[in-house]
Amino acid sequence: MNVLDEAGQDTPGARAVARCRILGEERYSDMSGGLFRPFLGAGHIAAMEQVSTWMQEAGMRVARNPVGTLVGRYEGQVTDAPCLMIGSHIDSVRDGGLYDGVLGVMLGIECVAHFAERGERLPFAIEVVAFGDEEGSRFPLSMLGSRALGGKPLGMVADMTDRDGVSLRDAMAAVGLDVARIAEARRDRSGILAYLEAHIEQGPVLDHESAPVAAVSGIAGIQRFHVQIDGVPGHAGTVPLAMRQDALAAAGEIVLEIETFATRHASSLIATVGRIEAFPGAINVIAGRVVLTVEIRSVDDAVLEGSVDQVEEILAAVSARRPVRYTIFDRQTFAAARCDSRLVGLLACAMEQAGLPRRIMVSGAGHDAMMMTDWVPSAMLFIRSPRGISHHPDETVKIPDVQSAFDVMGRFISDLSRTGIGPGDGEHAHES
């Protein structure tokens, strides 16, 4: 497949897009008529083989680590030097888009190819990593590859199963991997200079601003929980409104109160009620029980924790007015991840050097970089998502934007080779 830029040129950005489109073909998917590439499925294995070929053609030595992450390495001026790791994921959600995750891997390959074609070796190695399970679309644990690489606790994962009852143990064995060796995927911190991830924004902000790229200052933490609201079921025709303990009516009020709360604090958090179920769910029965989900995201962990308390105050107030009872269960916490301030600054400077607007923003979506920021200096580069569409077949990118991302990444790598990682690591940039 040949994709050219707007001037009819075969550029790194155009090649990266073309390869994403190739990986959207049916042989790289586990579903017909769309893209679904779950971890260790046939499509994922085929994709790894193709990506491995592209890595080798770019001048990298390629290996698969014990958790199934594909790693391509371009040596520096000194063999076994610490590396700049450029990574993202090549798995997808069901009926997903062509660029989520994959584009970052393709851009990493193009960056290596750029230096290899010039015969240029850097003071550090470059490793391009293609994680296999960021989405968690097959097994009930997301970011398995980056968790394992960063030495994060995994728990009892060997026997977790997919929707067909296949365990992780058996899925790994089927492709020559041993689940008992996952811990060996952990990398020595001293061997990694920094981590960089390029990714589509997956939202409409850059498109709204007509901005091609942005540096990411941090990735929002998440608080998720379920709320069960218990009222009293009854006949829809015989129980007067004033005498009802309607769980669904209470839930509706709670949803609107949470939206109002989030709107008041829109500069620091975002909140969503994504699912609601009413029981018994009959057209002529007052709902006696409702279960809904609440998700709150913020780059500030203190704000996250305080927002849960405020949602509980909403639940208590609505429950008292109705009256109904509520219970919170299945609470999950994902800490916010801050990018390294110096690396964010280098990305922003690279944008200016490339003639692009300096833009720094927060990521509301989770990424593999979340597993890296507390371990090695890390940075992310966002690429505009036209119309903000992602996790959908209509997901797309603009080739000039992808070329801009490549230009920024190349300048970032060159600047890093001159300056290294110095004082200021671990401090964090501010959005602009």
Side-chain angles (χ1 to χ4, degrees), residues 37-300:
R37 190 159 51 238
F39 182 49
L40 299 181
H44 178 223
I45 299 304
M48 280 202 295
E49 292 173 355
Q50 180 59 75
V51 173
S52 177
T53 297
W54 288 331
M55 287 178 168
Q56 292 175 60
E57 291 173 351
M60 286 179 269
R61 184 179 74 252
V62 183
R64 185 179 67 171
N65 78 5
V67 76
T69 296
L70 196 64
V71 182
R73 182 176 173 92
Y74 178 70
E75 289 291 353
Q77 295 166 356
V78 178
T79 302
D80 296 329
C83 72
L84 167 64
M85 184 174 284
I86 302 175
S88 198
H89 62 96
I90 60 172
D91 63 319
S92 82
V93 297
R94 186 176 294 276
D95 207 17
L98 303 183
Y99 305 100
D100 176 10
V102 176
L103 182 59
V105 178
M106 298 304 104
L107 280 168
I109 293 173
E110 289 297 331
C111 286
V112 170
H114 167 75
F115 290 105
E117 286 167 4
R118 297 165 59 185
E120 184 175 351
R121 297 285 177 174
L122 302 166
F124 46 80
I126 299 177
E127 290 190 7
V128 179
V129 296
F131 296 115
D133 194 29
E134 192 265 359
E135 299 289 4
S137 57
R138 181 175 183 183
F139 296 101
L141 179 69
S142 61
M143 305 183 198
L144 179 62
S146 50
R147 288 176 192 268
L149 189 144
K152 300 293 189 295
L154 297 177
M156 306 298 290
V157 298
D159 295 318
M160 64 182 182
T161 59
D162 63 14
R163 63 171 62 188
D164 297 320
V166 178
S167 69
L168 178 63
R169 182 195 313 278
D170 291 341
M172 292 183 69
V175 297
L177 296 170
D178 183 355
V179 73
R181 298 184 59 194
I182 282 181
E184 296 175 26
R186 180 177 183 176
R187 292 288 295 273
D188 187 333
R189 163 67 183 84
S190 64
I192 302 175
L193 181 70
Y195 175 82
L196 173 65
E197 181 167 356
H199 203 285
I200 58 172
E201 181 200 348
Q202 300 183 277
V205 175
L206 293 180
D207 196 39
H208 179 73
E209 297 178 355
S210 297
V213 295
V216 176
S217 61
I219 303 169
I222 305 171
Q223 290 278 2
R224 289 178 180 156
F225 51 93
H226 289 70
V227 179
Q228 179 171 311
I229 304 161
D230 290 299
V232 176
H235 194 290
T238 62
V239 181
L241 289 174
M243 299 176 66
R244 295 185 180 188
Q245 292 174 256
D246 188 334
L248 186 55
E253 188 172 343
I254 288 167
V255 171
L256 293 177
E257 288 279 355
I258 290 174
E259 181 187 51
T260 299
F261 157 71
T263 301
R264 287 199 307 267
H265 299 86
S267 63
S268 60
L269 64 86
I270 192 165
T272 305
V273 176
R275 188 173 71 222
I276 187 166
E277 297 176 279
F279 303 91
I283 194 170
N284 60 348
V285 179
I286 300 162
R289 185 172 80 253
V290 168
V291 176
L292 57 86
T293 61
V294 179
E295 182 188 88
I296 308 167
R297 298 186 183 223
S298 175
V299 77
D300 188 320

Side-chain angles (χ1 to χ4, degrees), residues 373-395:
T373 55
D374 64 345
W375 183 53
V376 295
S378 302
M380 284 195 73
L381 180 69
F382 269 173
I383 302 157
R384 169 170 34 191
S385 294
R387 295 184 292 155
I389 297 173
S390 184
H391 282 185
H392 187 275
D394 290 342
E395 177 182 280

